[in-house]
């Protein structure tokens, strides 16, 4: 049974409790990538989070594991292999993350802004090649 966050003081409301669980620079993005990409190794997550440090990513992954959002699977091989995946509890936040992504996309579009992921997809579409293989770009990877 995963540990649960130990509140020194009870949250004032359920919104505060929910936001405390996903509070952190990378937690929402980590959950989003695990939702859309499935089981993912540490280095792949790190590549998807430009600007994150391995130390901060490790800390956020541990907190998400303690809160029951993700599973951490360690394989006894050399070099070490560690994979992360969403738990059933972690999947319950999926619809909220997808809605938040859609809202963020609209917010950026209304201001004439794009993301790095949008730029990669646009360049791939212009050349007829996609970063994730043949066919249409995976919109899920654009966080």
């Amino acid at each position: 049974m995963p540990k649960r966050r130990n509140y020194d003081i009870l949250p004032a409301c359920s919104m505060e409790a929910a936001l405390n669980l996903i509070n952190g620079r990378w937690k929402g993005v980590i959950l989003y990538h695990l939702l859309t990409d499935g089981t993912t190794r540490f280095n792949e997550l790190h590549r998807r989070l430009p600007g994150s440090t391995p130390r901060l990513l490790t800390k956020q992954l541990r907190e998400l594991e303690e809160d029951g959002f993700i599973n951490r699977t360690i394989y006894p091989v050399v070099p070490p292999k560690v994979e992360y995946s969403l738990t059933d509890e972690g999947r319950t936040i999926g619809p909220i993350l997808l809605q938040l992504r859609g809202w963020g996309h609209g917010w950026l579009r209304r201001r004439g802004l794009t993301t790095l992921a949008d730029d990669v997809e646009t360049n791939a579409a212009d050349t007829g090649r996609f970063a994730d293989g043949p066919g249409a770009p995976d919109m899920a990877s654009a966080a």
Side-chain angles (χ1 to χ4, degrees), residues 24-34 36-37 40-61 64 70 84 116-117 140-143:
R25 176 159 179 151
W26 300 107
K27 285 184 183 179
V29 181
I30 291 167
L31 291 169
Y32 174 78
H33 283 299
L34 291 176
T36 58
D37 301 340
T40 307
R41 293 179 70 173
F42 180 88
N43 283 336
E44 180 59 28
L45 275 172
H46 190 243
R47 279 191 290 274
R48 292 202 174 264
L49 305 172
S52 72
T53 64
R55 180 178 174 185
L56 181 57
L57 179 56
T58 298
K59 180 181 183 286
Q60 304 252 297
L61 286 166
L64 288 168
I70 64 172
Y84 296 91
L116 291 174
S141 66

Side-chain angles (χ1 to χ4, degrees), residues 94-113:
I96 297 166
L97 294 172
L98 294 174
Q99 285 183 326
L100 190 58
R101 179 194 177 271
W103 179 85
H105 183 73
W107 186 89
L108 289 168
R109 189 180 62 239
R110 289 187 296 276
R111 286 155 180 79
L113 303 171

Side-chain angles (χ1 to χ4, degrees), residues 56-74:
L56 181 57
L57 179 56
T58 298
K59 180 181 183 286
Q60 304 252 297
L61 286 166
R62 285 184 181 153
E63 289 175 4
L64 288 168
E65 183 183 12
E66 287 174 6
D67 290 332
F69 283 104
I70 64 172
N71 289 314
R72 180 177 183 243
T73 306
I74 305 167

Side-chain angles (χ1 to χ4, degrees), residues 3 22 25 43-45 69 79 81 86 89 92 95 103 106 115 122 137:
K3 294 185 226 173
I22 59 169
R25 176 159 179 151
N43 283 336
E44 180 59 28
L45 275 172
F69 283 104
K81 178 180 175 183
L86 289 178
E89 183 76 23
T92 64
W103 179 85
T115 65
T122 300

Side-chain angles (χ1 to χ4, degrees), residues 1-17:
M1 182 82 164
K3 294 185 226 173
R4 299 288 183 235
R5 188 169 308 277
N6 182 15
Y7 289 100
D8 293 332
I9 300 171
L10 288 176
C13 66
S14 56
M15 178 60 95
E16 181 183 344

